[in-house]
Amino acid sequence: MDFRALGLGLAFALIWSSAFTSARIIVEAAPPLMALSLRFFLSGLIGIGVAAALGQTLRLSRAQWRAVLIFGICQNALYLGLNFVAMQTVEASLAAIIASAMPLLVAAANWGLFQERLPPLGIAGLTAGFVGVAIIMADRFGGGADMVGVVMCFVGVVALTAATLTVKSAASDGGNLLMVVGLQLMVGAIALLPPALLLETVAVDWSWQLVAAFGYTTLMPGLAATFIWFKLVGRIGATRAATFHFLNPFFGVAIAAALLGERLTGADVLGVVIIAAGILAVQLARVRPVREA
């Protein structure tokens, strides 16, 4: 893995993990689906506007249009929609930990469905990462985590896995990458609007924290992180890019502890160390295949 890909992966993991904390602030003060739909609309509007200013157009390939729809529905509407609702009762750090299980599902799908080779060391690394996640989650369940919210987060991770397996086509098939990002955000906004109008009422507890969290999540996790993710997957592939999600527990727990005062236990530290070891094993397993390519 080259240094640019490493930088992209670390930046993505940091921004993406911070989204759980900003989302927690938002859902405590505003209807989650309405807030998320508005966020997608504003992020998408900015992305499409900047893309148009750069000369990008709506002339996307068929694969890109397919990825726009699938990614917009699976990643934005389902994964983030379920997470926003769940985080009314689930801690931001726990939501980040659950999200870090996604690389296991991506690797399993690529290995079992698409016949992608996964070296034994890579399998061991992914397994270690899952064990680390399990250690942290076991500790959180002992603290009385909301099971309905946890199930919603897991269903969202499955949807995120499906989205991740589609972004390779959008990232590598032609240009207009920023336009693709903006359009898939708009898909998420449109998909969430009907359930938001049917299930929620407008009740907002305004504060500077809410405004700051909403502005941050609109520009950074909403737009910048998605753009970085597309670039990263296009550069190194979905399975290798997905291993950076194992950094989510570390960043997610640390940011939530610093900004929200969520607890940080010995089990959290142990789990993060094991997860980091899993990342290293996966990356080392990929060095030889990349050189042979």
Side-chain angles (χ1 to χ4, degrees), residues 26-27 30-40 84 196 200 210 214:
I26 292 170
V27 301
L33 297 182
M34 288 186 181
L36 190 57
S37 180
L38 178 60
R39 188 201 100 171
F40 286 149
F84 261 56
E200 298 178 340
L210 173 61
F214 187 84

Side-chain angles (χ1 to χ4, degrees), residues 44-72:
L45 198 64
I46 293 170
I48 291 172
V50 174
L54 294 174
Q56 297 184 19
T57 70
L58 295 175
R59 295 178 180 176
L60 307 181
S61 68
R62 181 177 299 179
Q64 286 179 316
W65 277 116
R66 182 172 61 250
V68 164
L69 293 175
I70 297 176
F71 198 80

